[in-house]
Amino acid sequence: MSGDESQKKVFDAEAASLVVNELRGSFTSGTTRSYEWRVSQVKALLKLVADNEEQITDALRSDLDKPPLETVVYEIGMLKNSCEVTLKELKHWMTPEKVKTSIAVFPSTAEIVPEPLGVVLVISAWNYPFLLSLDPVVGAIAAGNAVVLKPSEIAPATSSLLAKLLEKYMDNSSIRVVEGAVEETTALLQQKWDKIFYTGNGRVGRIVMTAAAKNLTPVVLELGGKSPVVVDSNINLQVAARRIISGKWGLNNGQACISPDYVITTKDYAPKLVDALKTELENFYGKNPLESKDLSRIVNSNHFARLTKLLEDDKVSDKIVYGGEKDESKLRIAPTILLDVPQDSLVMGEEIFGPLLPIITVEKLEESIDVINSGTKPLAAYLFTTDNKFKEQFVTTVSAGGVLVNDTVLHLVVHTLPFGGVGESGMGAYHGKFSFDAFTHKKSVLYRGFTGDASIRYPPYTNTKLRLMKALIGGGGLDIVRALFGWSTKA
């Protein structure tokens, strides 16, 4: 056996089992449950980021040619914010919640006690490989769990850096990184976890859920989908165009789960929208966007080929009204707008996850709701309008993980809003307290003393006891009085 072959077998099911058992031993010891441990680890993450910002930026440049500003804002900045919110609110999140009890269990008190689930697995994505790896880990740590992080092998520089930095900064008795690809992920999924958190696509999401079902392991699936943008004609067109561009091409060149996937507008308004998008795209990325330092490249040759296939489909190849330039040697595709795209084209049949933006036209904007609802539920839905009635109709009738009116993607940064999908765009949510809740079991606790031990709950069962029990369980105070005196409850 060659050296390469022996190295390849480093992490199998046996090795995965060993890691899980070690972490379970640490969790069982109670180490991760204390407030002090949780705070120390979140602070360690903040220090990790502060000490290594340049290395993180370089890794993301290597993996995606991601512009430093996007890294600082959307990867580093959002993670810092997540840590700071957690440090500020954690004591409150951990405090048991007192709740009322009913007369049926009088005298008693009750509370809901948040407790950690145990040993959890976080499987991350390649498009925001730093943020989407560590943001769920913040929630898992805050909730008091032991964690295994599996970064995406499609972003190898970031994966390697995460493994190195977490080993250096974090408590390795309770927090581990496992690098690798399909074999390593498969070995991890064969283990029994107390929760699995997966960010990625629906195909792998189904594999994760199938593996989790064998042990009845709960899952959070952060997936994606075709997030629509509906554009009305009564808007500030320049601002709308800039915000659509920011959410589409300013987020990893369209390689983002909440990136605008396609636009719906009226036939009459479409030419104006296209002109505005063209103008602002040129302002942002110049006349030759393939040379722009402010656009990420396509992650690898497989995704480049996939996007090329969508663009060369006979049904859309003549619909390109802007862009379309490609450089396979540099894995670059320019921002591309396609107008009047048929809904049965390849580009409308899957999540694009790249710099192509199809525009669908309708006679009346209200038809856009039927177009959206005829497909699977998206992770995000965006609407640009000043019509309050249509805004209300859209929010009420369009089912999506999240809805944003008159902007794109910014709901992602509001930690008081849950971030997650619905239907095929995912299940479960996180961010802020929702991250804590995602990795927490809310345990019901009822406290009673030895007084008030009513004989009516014990045999022999009499008609009087039956009346009283009915009144206690389903009636009010007057019903209980009637039952005690044997009065009829009928009018």
Side-chain angles (χ1 to χ4, degrees):
M1 186 186 293
S2 71
D4 286 344
E5 287 175 340
S6 62
Q7 276 191 339
K8 198 174 181 183
K9 202 185 170 185
V10 168
F11 198 86
D12 54 11
E14 187 179 344
S17 177
L18 185 63
V19 169
V20 174
N21 288 338
E22 287 173 0
L23 292 188
R24 201 165 293 285
S26 182
F27 175 76
T28 303
S29 74
T31 302
T32 65
R33 289 176 178 266
S34 74
Y35 172 76
E36 290 74 19
W37 182 87
R38 303 183 199 197
V39 165
S40 73
Q41 296 307 296
V42 176
K43 286 181 176 177
L45 274 177
L46 278 173
K47 181 168 173 53
L48 179 159
V49 173
D51 292 351
N52 299 280
E53 186 169 311
E54 189 174 337
Q55 284 192 67
I56 296 162
T57 303
D58 288 346
L60 287 159
R61 266 289 194 199
S62 173
D63 287 330
L64 292 149
D65 206 12
K66 188 170 287 196
L69 185 141
E70 286 188 36
T71 295
V72 169
V73 174
Y74 295 115
E75 304 249 18
I76 293 172
M78 285 186 62
L79 181 68
K80 281 182 177 177
N81 185 60
S82 181
C83 290
E84 285 160 2
V85 168
T86 299
L87 291 173
K88 182 181 176 184
E89 302 288 347
L90 182 56
K91 190 156 279 190
H92 172 64
W93 296 345
M94 289 176 65
T95 303
E97 177 189 353
K98 301 291 182 184
V99 293
K100 292 179 180 178
T101 59
S102 68
I103 193 169
V105 292
F106 179 84
S108 65
T109 59
E111 63 183 0
I112 300 168
V113 177
E115 67 174 6
L117 292 170
V119 182
V120 301
L121 172 63
V122 174
I123 305 174
S124 182
W126 56 262
N127 58 328
Y128 284 81
F130 189 76
L131 176 70
L132 296 182
S133 291
L134 294 183
D135 206 8
V137 170
V138 173
I141 291 169
N145 298 282
V147 194
V148 170
L149 168 64
K150 165 59 184 67
S152 174
E153 72 281 4
I154 298 175
T158 307
S159 176
S160 176
L161 183 63
L162 284 166
K164 184 177 80 173
L165 294 181
L166 266 68
E167 183 178 18
K168 178 179 177 182
Y169 285 84
M170 310 301 289
D171 175 6
N172 297 151
S173 71
S174 303
I175 302 165
R176 299 278 186 86
V177 176
V178 172
E179 288 195 274
V182 174
E183 288 181 20
E184 289 78 8
T185 305
T186 301
L188 287 169
L189 287 173
Q190 288 171 355
Q191 310 311 308
K192 178 172 172 53
W193 303 93
D194 296 296
K195 191 148 199 179
I196 299 174
F197 190 110
Y198 168 74
T199 304
N201 62 56
R203 180 185 61 80
V204 178
R206 287 174 171 82
I207 294 169
V208 170
M209 201 168 180
T210 301
K214 292 174 184 174
N215 290 307
L216 296 179
T217 300
V219 297
V220 172
L221 300 179
E222 294 293 339
L223 307 177
K226 296 187 73 63
S227 297
V229 185
V230 175
V231 181
D232 205 343
S233 59
N234 54 18
I235 57 169
N236 183 322
L237 182 53
Q238 183 187 33
V239 172
R242 293 165 75 93
R243 290 177 177 178
I244 292 168
I245 292 167
S246 176
K248 177 68 173 181
W249 295 283
L251 275 188
N252 209 27
N253 205 7
Q255 298 169 109
C257 57
I258 54 169
S259 171
D261 190 274
Y262 64 100
V263 171
I264 307 175
T265 193
T266 60
K267 288 186 186 299
D268 291 341
Y269 199 64
K272 292 179 183 177
L273 175 60
V274 169
D275 286 344
L277 288 169
K278 286 179 180 179
T279 300
E280 297 304 326
L281 277 166
E282 191 167 311
N283 288 340
F284 291 172
Y285 303 115
K287 292 186 181 297
N288 186 5
L290 290 181
E291 299 297 322
S292 174
K293 297 184 186 306
D294 297 322
L295 278 170
S296 299
R297 64 167 168 77
I298 307 307
V299 66
N300 60 27
S301 56
N302 289 339
H303 280 275
F304 187 93
R306 178 184 62 81
L307 289 164
T308 299
K309 183 180 177 184
L310 298 183
L311 205 52
E312 293 177 350
D313 175 17
D314 288 343
K315 292 179 179 176
V316 302
S317 57
D318 62 344
K319 304 291 185 181
I320 298 171
V321 292
Y322 181 84
E325 301 88 1
K326 303 186 296 292
D327 185 339
E328 188 172 0
S329 66
K330 295 180 180 177
L331 296 178
R332 289 192 166 275
I333 299 177
T336 302
I337 302 171
L338 304 103
L339 181 60
D340 281 323
V341 170
Q343 289 186 52
D344 61 349
S345 58
L346 291 178
V347 78
M348 290 306 297
E350 65 177 61
E351 183 180 6
I352 294 168
F353 226 72
L356 320 180
L357 184 66
I359 297 177
I360 293 174
T361 57
V362 290
E363 295 295 336
K364 294 181 179 178
L365 206 63
E366 288 75 14
E367 296 171 35
S368 64
I369 292 175
D370 292 331
V371 172
I372 296 167
N373 288 341
S374 67
T376 57
K377 297 178 181 181
L379 185 57
Y382 305 114
L383 169 66
F384 287 86
T385 188
T386 56
D387 182 337
N388 286 330
K389 186 178 178 183
F390 185 55
K391 188 188 306 178
E392 184 179 341
Q393 182 187 5
F394 189 89
V395 170
T396 303
T397 56
V398 171
S399 182
V403 172
L404 181 50
V405 178
N406 292 330
D407 213 323
T408 62
V409 311
L410 284 186
H411 62 301
L412 182 75
V413 305
V414 182
H415 71 82
T416 51
L417 288 173
F419 179 76
V422 59
E424 290 199 20
S425 59
M427 63 180 70
Y430 71 127
H431 288 182
K433 186 175 186 292
F434 302 100
S435 291
F436 176 86
D437 290 342
F439 293 100
T440 297
H441 168 59
K442 295 188 175 183
K443 182 166 60 181
S444 305
V445 183
L446 181 69
Y447 299 96
R448 298 201 73 213
F450 291 98
T451 57
D453 191 44
S455 63
I456 62 166
R457 64 187 284 196
Y458 305 122
Y461 302 133
T462 64
N463 287 335
T464 301
K465 287 181 179 180
L466 179 60
R467 285 197 307 271
L468 271 170
M469 288 299 273
K470 280 183 176 180
L472 280 169
I473 292 168
L478 189 56
D479 292 319
I480 294 168
V481 171
R482 283 173 172 156
L484 282 168
F485 287 96
W487 299 339
S488 172
T489 56
K490 293 180 182 179

